[in-house]
Amino acid sequence: MTLTVTTEERRRLALAATGAELRADDAGAVRFVGLASPFNSRAAIGNPRTWGFYEEFAPGAYTKTLSEGDQRMLIDHDSYFVVSRVSAGTLKLAQSARGLEVDSALDDELSYVRDLKANLRNGNITGMSIGFYVVKDQWTMIEVEEEGDDGKVRVFDAELRTVLEVRLIEASAVTFPAFTDTEAELKSVASALALRADVGAVERRAVHRPELRDVLQVIAREPGESTRADETTEPGETTRRHVEEIDLAMRGLSARYGLKLPTA
């Protein structure tokens, strides 16, 4: 079964939350070490009360991609600034009980790596981020307790997206540790909805954020990437649907919002 993955997604963490640091190895060489993506850590993507959702990465989400991929470490997701690479032996990625661990060599022969080290020491670069494609995910409804300014606890319903499998492209040291503008948040929500291909999910959110339709149009025009689901692995709830059902849902989105969808 071939699924069309619409666009690359990105998630960011503050360095303080990753435990990232410059650490000397046994030979005295300085390396960058940190947690790029924690497991079972719930994060808000957009506003979960209205147009967003909660998201967490399940343990094992990186198992397949780490065995097959050739990931890079970059600076601010810029492919010009390649710090290290798995196939070159300069980047080590592994899953621990905490999540995705990064251990990168830092070559001082590269001027931008010297700059990176200085910016990390000076606190100018304050975040980590990953670039990835979701292969399998699962959506569920959850109840969330929230304490208001008046001290009262209120309960609201929200959707939780559990990411079960990803295709990891790169990890980056980034200047901004979290989304700093609405456009980035909207694109993150729209990317997840495009993969989900659920017209109702779009309509519920568009009531609160009509701009989502515009962002979906942009995403739909971007070239898609095809990934082949592992036939030996039981798919998650979302990707269990046959490709014909996914196509039908996407055609519904196209008819509703005038999207020009890419072909697989």
Side-chain angles (χ1 to χ4, degrees), residues 84-153:
S84 55
R85 182 173 178 173
V86 170
S87 63
T90 52
L91 176 62
K92 298 177 182 178
L93 299 173
Q95 287 183 114
S96 68
R98 299 193 309 162
L100 178 66
E101 307 277 356
V102 174
D103 182 347
S104 172
L106 298 173
D107 186 352
D108 283 338
E109 291 296 313
L110 298 169
S111 61
Y112 55 81
V113 171
R114 296 197 299 272
D115 293 340
L116 171 63
K117 291 166 67 175
N119 281 323
L120 286 166
R121 286 193 297 264
N122 296 335
N124 298 327
I125 287 182
T126 55
M128 283 194 72
S129 179
I130 56 172
F132 61 95
Y133 292 90
V134 171
V135 180
K136 299 175 186 176
D137 62 2
Q138 186 174 34
W139 293 80
T140 54
M141 292 297 300
I142 58 173
E143 288 188 348
V144 179
E145 294 184 352
E146 184 177 76
E147 184 175 347
D149 295 336
D150 57 3
K152 293 183 178 180
V153 176

Side-chain angles (χ1 to χ4, degrees), residues 50 57 121 127 132 149 152 216 219 246 260:
T50 53
F57 286 73
R121 286 193 297 264
F132 61 95
D149 295 336
K152 293 183 178 180
L216 275 166
I219 290 175
I246 295 174
K260 297 180 180 179

Side-chain angles (χ1 to χ4, degrees), residues 236-256:
E237 180 178 318
T238 300
T239 55
R240 188 179 294 120
R241 293 173 297 182
H242 294 298
V243 68
E244 291 84 2
E245 294 171 334
I246 295 174
D247 287 342
L248 179 62
M250 292 305 288
R251 283 198 295 273
L253 283 173
S254 176
R256 178 74 176 178

Side-chain angles (χ1 to χ4, degrees), residues 137 139 159 191-198 201 204-205 238 241 249:
D137 62 2
W139 293 80
E159 286 193 288
S191 297
L193 294 177
L195 176 64
R196 187 177 179 182
D198 184 333
R204 288 192 298 272
R205 289 166 171 83
T238 300
R241 293 173 297 182

Side-chain angles (χ1 to χ4, degrees), residues 27-217:
V30 175
R31 302 182 68 88
F32 178 89
V33 179
L35 180 71
S37 173
F39 291 143
N40 298 324
S41 178
R42 192 169 295 177
I45 309 300
N47 185 345
R49 292 181 67 100
T50 53
W51 57 275
F53 55 88
Y54 287 102
E55 181 182 76
E56 62 184 32
F57 286 73
Y62 298 96
T63 300
K64 187 175 181 182
T65 192
L66 293 185
S67 68
E68 297 177 344
D70 182 18
Q71 295 82 14
R72 284 79 161 169
M73 180 173 172
L74 309 176
I75 300 174
D76 278 324
H77 299 290
D78 191 330
S79 59
Y80 177 82
F81 298 110
V82 181
V83 176
S84 55
R85 182 173 178 173
V86 170
S87 63
T90 52
L91 176 62
K92 298 177 182 178
L93 299 173
Q95 287 183 114
S96 68
R98 299 193 309 162
L100 178 66
E101 307 277 356
V102 174
D103 182 347
S104 172
L106 298 173
D107 186 352
D108 283 338
E109 291 296 313
L110 298 169
S111 61
Y112 55 81
V113 171
R114 296 197 299 272
D115 293 340
L116 171 63
K117 291 166 67 175
N119 281 323
L120 286 166
R121 286 193 297 264
N122 296 335
N124 298 327
I125 287 182
T126 55
M128 283 194 72
S129 179
I130 56 172
F132 61 95
Y133 292 90
V134 171
V135 180
K136 299 175 186 176
D137 62 2
Q138 186 174 34
W139 293 80
T140 54
M141 292 297 300
I142 58 173
E143 288 188 348
V144 179
E145 294 184 352
E146 184 177 76
E147 184 175 347
D149 295 336
D150 57 3
K152 293 183 178 180
V153 176
R154 296 174 175 83
V155 178
F156 65 94
D157 293 330
E159 286 193 288
L160 171 64
R161 182 197 198 193
T162 302
V163 179
L164 303 173
E165 181 184 337
V166 303
R167 184 164 68 86
L168 182 66
I169 306 301
E170 47 90 7
S172 283
V174 294
T175 306
F176 298 101
F179 293 123
T180 56
D181 59 77
T182 302
E183 183 180 350
E185 291 183 299
L186 282 168
K187 185 170 183 179
S188 291
V189 173
S191 297
L193 294 177
L195 176 64
R196 187 177 179 182
D198 184 333
V199 177
V202 174
E203 290 180 334
R204 288 192 298 272
R205 289 166 171 83
V207 170
H208 303 280
R209 295 309 298 264
E211 305 98 308
L212 273 174
R213 297 188 180 101
D214 298 329
V215 180
L216 275 166
Q217 286 181 338

